[in-house]
Amino acid sequence: MIKASNDPKQQAILESAWEAFSTYGFRKTSMDDIARRAGMSRPALYLSYRNKEAIFAGLVEGHYGLALDTVADALASGGTLSERLHAAFEAQGGPAMKAMMDSPHGLELFEAGMSAAGEAIATGELALRGVYAQWLRAEADAGQITLPGNVEEVARVFCSAMKGIKHTSQDYASYASGVAQLAALFGAALQPD
């Protein structure tokens, strides 16, 4: 589970919710299940979150908060372009991707994310594109890469390709393989002339 909140009570709720969602699925998880796992009453849970969709959105926001930092760190690390991109793409999926893909309810959780936390996902994806664009611009300005197009467009393609891998992978092993192949391809394409 990722660190999704600085508030210990909210963090306990989010961790409990993630355990319940991955065990029972989004639809079958009730606010009672989450409250019980968090060691609180249902009314106390409602003081923090209005419904399980809001809790799921909190999980998504926490995921992207962590991903933004770890992607930026990976891009700034040492190594070849492909190695740095691979580390960044792995960070983008983060521990949540493995947990979702290992859950028997993974597909349902992906679908729930789109319906329950679509706005949080859109905001997170936009922020990730910004991290990639900033890195691409700095690398191009330093002559470390050759851009095949507009910085923002290349950053958008990074994120779109990652979504494609996520949505077409049958399990975490195929996801991880796709991420590695994508990093190698983009790393080769960005090599300076």
Side-chain angles (χ1 to χ4, degrees), residues 71-143:
V71 166
D73 289 346
L75 292 170
S77 68
T80 66
L81 283 172
S82 293
E83 290 167 344
R84 289 186 287 155
L85 285 169
H86 186 220
F89 293 163
E90 283 184 326
Q92 183 173 336
M97 185 60 60
K98 181 163 180 17
M100 273 208 276
M101 292 189 127
D102 285 347
S103 168
H105 304 284
L107 182 58
E108 180 192 354
L109 295 174
F110 280 129
E111 292 169 358
M114 293 308 295
S115 64
E119 188 175 318
I121 291 170
T123 300
E125 288 293 315
L126 185 61
L128 273 174
R129 285 199 315 258
V131 169
Y132 284 121
Q134 182 179 5
W135 175 76
L136 287 163
R137 192 173 292 107
E139 291 290 303
D141 289 348

Side-chain angles (χ1 to χ4, degrees), residues 64 92 114 121 125 129 158-168:
Y64 279 106
Q92 183 173 336
M114 293 308 295
I121 291 170
E125 288 293 315
R129 285 199 315 258
F158 280 6
C159 291
S160 296
M162 286 292 293
K163 278 186 189 177
I165 291 170
K166 175 173 72 174
H167 290 290
T168 59

Side-chain angles (χ1 to χ4, degrees), residues 10-167:
Q10 286 188 341
Q11 182 65 25
I13 292 168
L14 294 173
E15 287 176 3
S16 298
W18 178 250
E19 290 171 12
F21 292 149
S22 61
T23 302
Y24 306 122
F26 183 78
R27 286 186 294 271
K28 289 186 178 179
T29 296
S30 69
M31 291 295 273
D32 280 331
D33 295 327
I34 297 167
R36 192 172 30 262
R37 285 175 179 261
M40 64 178 49
S41 68
R42 198 170 102 191
L45 176 61
Y46 279 110
L47 291 174
S48 295
Y49 293 97
R50 70 183 177 281
N51 54 32
K52 66 183 179 180
E53 287 80 5
I55 294 172
F56 203 92
L59 286 166
V60 168
E61 289 165 2
H63 163 74
Y64 279 106
L66 179 63
L68 293 172
D69 293 338
T70 56
V71 166
D73 289 346
L75 292 170
S77 68
T80 66
L81 283 172
S82 293
E83 290 167 344
R84 289 186 287 155
L85 285 169
H86 186 220
F89 293 163
E90 283 184 326
Q92 183 173 336
M97 185 60 60
K98 181 163 180 17
M100 273 208 276
M101 292 189 127
D102 285 347
S103 168
H105 304 284
L107 182 58
E108 180 192 354
L109 295 174
F110 280 129
E111 292 169 358
M114 293 308 295
S115 64
E119 188 175 318
I121 291 170
T123 300
E125 288 293 315
L126 185 61
L128 273 174
R129 285 199 315 258
V131 169
Y132 284 121
Q134 182 179 5
W135 175 76
L136 287 163
R137 192 173 292 107
E139 291 290 303
D141 289 348
Q144 299 299 312
I145 63 171
T146 300
L147 282 171
N150 166 308
V151 167
E152 285 75 21
E153 183 62 14
V154 174
R156 185 193 68 75
V157 169
F158 280 6
C159 291
S160 296
M162 286 292 293
K163 278 186 189 177
I165 291 170
K166 175 173 72 174
H167 290 290

